[in-house]
Amino acid sequence: MSLKKSIIIIILILLVDQISKFYIKTHFTLGDEYRVFQWFRVYFVENDGMAWGTKISDFVSFISDRTAKIALTVFRIVAIFGIGYWLFDATKKNSPKVLLLAIAFIFAGALGNIIDSVFYGLLFSDSHGQIATFLPAEGGYDGLLHGRVVDMLYFPLWKGFLPEWLPFFGGKFFTFFEPVFNVADMAISTGFMMLLVFNKKAFPKKE
């Protein structure tokens, strides 16, 4: 697969990701939910940290939330350059198509969430109790590098109390699947799954 085709895939994923986030920000208030099916809902939340909503400051107590946010965003930017070089190098070496496709998915997903983290604080007003405005006259809800990642895809496939006989979690209320995520997260997860499932094809042993 050529670099040109990889870039087309990246652009398509980015368009779907950013259009869906723009729609949610300009049509939903934070916490709004639209039930498509019992097991699939559009549920607007914003993620201020890493995966699962965790923050660097949760582990390093002497760092403030804002400093941790900048550190995380800068790390993501550095990482995206590394992934981009990986894609360029893999294309140059005529690596297997499945590897190039996986890297393109990971790159697109990472870049999609970086756009939120870097620019959304400037581009949108706050979504708390109101529908956000794009390019508000009074300025965005925060500064550069302090944007929050928009999540909206929620699949609560099962909710209920776990059997009492289960160790540790018995009798507790449980939701499967709990996380709320976005198209960029799906792209990253898909890319990593491809690397795991098709590992031998992606990294063939040299004779």
Side-chain angles (χ1 to χ4, degrees), residues 48 55-57 60 62-75 145-146:
D48 197 32
K55 304 175 183 178
I56 295 177
S57 52
V60 187
F62 60 85
I63 296 179
S64 69
D65 284 348
R66 292 187 68 80
T67 301
K69 174 66 177 174
I70 292 177
L72 177 61
T73 303
V74 170
F75 172 78
L145 303 181
H146 286 290

Side-chain angles (χ1 to χ4, degrees), residues 21-32:
K21 289 172 177 176
F22 182 88
Y23 180 85
I24 292 297
K25 282 290 290 182
T26 56
H27 289 79
F28 285 61
T29 61
L30 201 61
D32 278 353

Side-chain angles (χ1 to χ4, degrees), residues 159-177:
K159 287 184 178 183
F161 288 93
L162 296 173
E164 293 286 349
W165 50 266
L166 278 176
F168 305 111
F169 303 104
K172 295 183 179 179
F173 190 80
F174 180 76
T175 301
F176 181 86
F177 180 70

Side-chain angles (χ1 to χ4, degrees), residues 56-131:
I56 295 177
S57 52
D58 291 338
F59 306 99
V60 187
S61 59
F62 60 85
I63 296 179
S64 69
D65 284 348
R66 292 187 68 80
T67 301
K69 174 66 177 174
I70 292 177
L72 177 61
T73 303
V74 170
F75 172 78
R76 284 171 168 167
I77 294 171
V78 173
I80 200 69
F81 277 101
I83 298 168
Y85 177 77
W86 184 21
L87 178 60
F88 174 79
D89 186 60
T91 305
K92 193 175 180 181
K93 292 178 179 177
N94 293 316
S95 297
K97 183 178 179 179
V98 65
L99 175 61
L100 299 177
L101 197 59
I103 300 173
F105 270 69
I106 294 169
F107 182 91
L111 184 56
N113 284 336
I114 284 173
I115 291 172
D116 297 28
S117 296
V118 174
F119 299 112
Y120 273 30
L122 295 173
L123 297 177
F124 294 97
S125 59
D126 202 354
S127 294
H128 288 275
Q130 63 180 3
I131 293 176

